[in-house]
Amino acid sequence: MDERVAADDFEAALERVSREHYILFHHHLTEFMASHLTDCCTVFDGDLHEMLVFTIIAQRYLRDQLAQQEGETPVEERRAVSATRIAAQTGMPRETVRRKLAALQARGWVEKTGRADWRISLAGGSAAARLDLEDFLRRETRRVLRFARALKPIV
């Protein structure tokens, strides 16, 4: 019952935003997206496909980290992903995905597992990319919080 109430509240908020705050919502969304994607272009040397490949692998790593925080045992299969799976998820050609993975591996951010799957490289127990991305992650957090604050009055 609580899940249904939450779903009803969500649908009501969605309808209200669409009806009453369409322009304001999309203004804040495009401000957020333009700023975020511009920053991503800088960090990934203009290669948003590389950023997308990295994000998919990072998503799996973070999902596993959240599961561990909730007391679940880490599962390697949950963490690693194949180039074929990334290609299917993104619509990118598999060879393009492989080139992006090679570039990310050269940065030291991802590593190939024995089964031809890919995962986030670890250094000292955390993602190796975290140090390289520290300033970006701080800007990203700031952007997300500004976006959430801007949306709070309309949702």
Side-chain angles (χ1 to χ4, degrees):
M1 175 127 163
D2 289 343
E3 288 179 21
R4 180 67 187 155
V5 171
D8 288 345
D9 289 345
F10 179 81
E11 290 301 319
L14 179 63
E15 181 61 32
R16 188 178 64 256
V17 168
S18 295
R19 188 180 58 250
E20 299 171 16
H21 304 289
Y22 180 85
I23 298 294
L24 184 58
F25 172 80
H26 285 282
H27 165 72
H28 291 306
L29 177 62
T30 56
E31 289 285 323
F32 170 79
M33 292 299 296
S35 177
H36 181 66
L37 290 173
T38 299
D39 204 4
C40 288
C41 271
T42 301
V43 170
F44 285 87
D45 301 320
D47 193 342
L48 290 178
H49 284 134
E50 185 178 312
M51 185 255 337
L52 182 56
V53 169
F54 178 74
T55 300
I56 288 168
I57 298 170
Q59 179 184 37
R60 288 174 166 267
Y61 168 76
L62 293 168
R63 187 179 304 139
D64 189 61
Q65 292 295 297
L66 287 171
Q68 284 183 48
Q69 285 181 1
E70 294 173 6
E72 293 181 31
T73 304
V75 178
E76 180 60 35
E77 290 75 30
R78 216 173 29 209
R79 227 183 262 173
V81 61
S82 70
T84 301
R85 176 82 174 124
I86 294 170
Q89 189 173 344
T90 63
M92 280 187 259
R94 194 172 36 219
E95 193 51 44
T96 299
V97 171
R98 285 192 181 111
R99 283 194 307 275
K100 303 312 172 188
L101 288 166
L104 290 165
Q105 185 177 35
R107 288 180 186 246
W109 293 1
V110 301
E111 62 189 15
K112 195 172 190 178
T113 67
R115 299 183 324 269
D117 285 345
W118 294 83
R119 66 178 175 207
I120 293 291
S121 296
L122 300 178
S126 65
R130 189 173 180 175
L131 287 176
D132 293 338
L133 296 172
E134 190 172 345
D135 290 339
F136 168 77
L137 295 171
R138 192 173 296 112
R139 291 188 306 271
E140 181 181 54
T141 301
R142 195 174 294 120
R143 261 192 305 276
V144 169
L145 292 176
R146 268 195 308 256
F147 183 52
R149 187 180 308 137
L151 293 182
K152 189 174 181 179
I154 66 173
V155 294

